[in-house]
Amino acid sequence: MLLEYAAIGIMILVVSLIGLIAIGLGTIFGPKRQTDRKAAPYESGMTPIGPGIRRVPVRFYLIAVLFILFDIEVVFFLPWAIAFRQLGLFGLAEMLIFIAILLVGYIYAWKKGALEWE
């Protein structure tokens, strides 16, 4: 039974080796002269103004987390759609409950203003 996965294991091994070889060759043969110009921050060809590290409002992180949360939840629709006929009415009822829970979370986030972009 594990023989079926041998091709995947070999592929992962080969890809890992190719990546390590490419990184190693770049490290060994690549240029190593560090200058002040190379060490300077690059911002679209313009001279940087102010510090390189700035505070980012929490709202950006909140919107990113909500996007990931709802994006991952939508992934559950694919297996349900594939097995829809076998699940029958029970599967439909369970998915409607799942969608209702997602909708409650979405409405809650909307009412709290988490989706507002300013």
Side-chain angles (χ1 to χ4, degrees):
M1 184 162 136
L2 291 177
L3 190 59
E4 298 171 358
Y5 295 104
I8 296 173
I10 292 170
M11 181 66 80
I12 290 172
L13 183 67
V14 168
V15 168
S16 299
L17 284 175
I18 290 173
L20 289 173
I21 289 170
I23 291 172
L25 288 175
T27 303
I28 293 170
F29 296 114
K32 296 175 184 62
R33 291 181 302 272
Q34 187 71 2
T35 63
D36 290 337
R37 188 165 176 91
K38 287 183 183 177
Y42 180 77
E43 293 184 14
S44 304
M46 300 175 65
T47 305
I49 300 171
I53 300 173
R54 297 184 192 126
R55 295 185 65 110
V56 178
V58 176
R59 182 164 307 280
F60 295 128
Y61 295 111
L62 181 61
I63 289 174
V65 167
L66 285 172
F67 171 75
I68 291 171
L69 175 72
F70 285 109
D71 193 44
I72 290 173
E73 297 299 331
V74 168
V75 170
F76 289 114
F77 286 113
L78 181 65
W80 172 76
I82 291 172
F84 178 70
R85 294 195 190 273
Q86 290 86 12
L87 295 174
L89 189 58
F90 174 74
L92 180 63
E94 289 294 324
M95 188 50 72
L96 289 176
I97 292 170
F98 179 73
I99 292 171
I101 292 171
L102 280 180
L103 189 61
V104 168
Y106 181 74
I107 291 172
Y108 176 77
W110 189 3
K111 291 292 182 183
K112 286 291 186 178
L115 304 176
E116 296 294 323
W117 192 270
E118 297 175 8

